């Protein structure tokens, strides 16, 4: 059975500024680049043949730094593991949204399990998508191990 390392992405400029990012395609911050270099160092002696990444720019930048001195690996982009969609909140400061209505911010928009922000996903939606990813991953591992 292969080892699996899960790395989403390191810090982005919007993470640093506490802005809802969601499906907006933003780049890593300087700190995020350094964090990815630290992960690269931690994993330097691990054999990595396949990278499974979200197609978001910040995830691609993260794995490319981690894998920058490696050759002969495959990359699979998987939409099941894309970031939570925050809908109308994307691009807005968390503090601004919180000031507008602290209760709605905390229990609906930001941490609502069954209800997400308008045009966004709830945690339940994300959970369902991640469960699909694990089904996909299980089938993928069976396939690469020759156990169809």
């Amino acid at each position: 059975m292969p080892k699996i390392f899960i790395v989403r992405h390191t810090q982005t400029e919007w993470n640093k500024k506490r802005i809802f990012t969601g499906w907006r395609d933003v780049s890593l911050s300087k700190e995020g680049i350094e964090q990815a270099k630290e992960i690269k160092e931690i994993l330097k002696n691990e054999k990595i043949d396949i990278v499974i990444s979200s197609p978001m720019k910040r995830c691609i930048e993260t794995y490319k730094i981690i894998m920058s001195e490696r050759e002969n690996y495959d990359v699979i982009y998987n939409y099941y593991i894309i970031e939570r969609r925050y809908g109308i909140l994307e691009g807005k400061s968390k503090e601004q949204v919180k000031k507008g209505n602290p209760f709605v911010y905390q229990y609906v928009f930001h941490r609502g399990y069954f209800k997400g922000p308008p045009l966004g996903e709830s945690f339940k939606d994300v959970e369902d998508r991640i469960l699909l990813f694990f089904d996909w991953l299980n089938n993928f591992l069976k396939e690469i191990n020759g156990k169809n």
Side-chain angles (χ1 to χ4, degrees), residues 20-130:
F20 284 102
T21 307
W23 287 13
R24 297 279 184 96
D25 221 4
V26 299
S27 292
L28 298 179
S29 65
K30 289 179 183 176
E31 294 88 344
I33 292 168
E34 292 306 313
Q35 291 166 345
K37 289 177 182 177
E38 289 173 20
I39 295 168
K40 174 184 173 178
E41 181 64 23
I42 291 167
L43 296 176
K44 70 181 178 185
N45 295 320
E46 298 291 343
K47 182 173 174 20
I48 301 174
D49 296 317
I50 301 169
V51 172
I52 302 168
S53 177
S54 161
M56 301 303 291
K57 182 189 305 185
R58 57 193 172 267
C59 299
I60 294 169
E61 290 173 349
T62 300
Y63 91 70
K64 283 187 173 182
I65 292 168
I66 294 169
M67 301 298 286
S68 64
E69 294 179 19
R70 298 174 186 254
E71 295 178 3
N72 301 323
Y73 64 91
D74 293 317
V75 179
I76 299 170
Y77 295 104
N78 188 298
Y79 283 85
Y80 290 140
I81 55 176
I82 201 165
E83 191 84 19
R84 177 184 180 197
R85 186 171 203 158
Y86 280 100
I88 66 167
L89 300 182
E90 290 178 11
K92 294 182 180 175
S93 155
K94 293 179 181 181
E95 282 70 28
Q96 288 174 325
V97 173
K98 190 174 184 179
K99 284 179 188 175
N101 188 327
F103 178 82
V104 171
Y105 167 81
Q106 181 64 24
Y107 296 103
V108 179
F109 288 172
H110 192 52
R111 295 290 176 219
Y113 181 73
F114 290 107
K115 179 120 176 95
L119 304 176
E121 294 179 292
S122 69
F123 278 113
K124 175 67 172 132
D125 296 331
V126 175
E127 177 184 322
D128 291 345
R129 191 162 36 80
I130 295 303

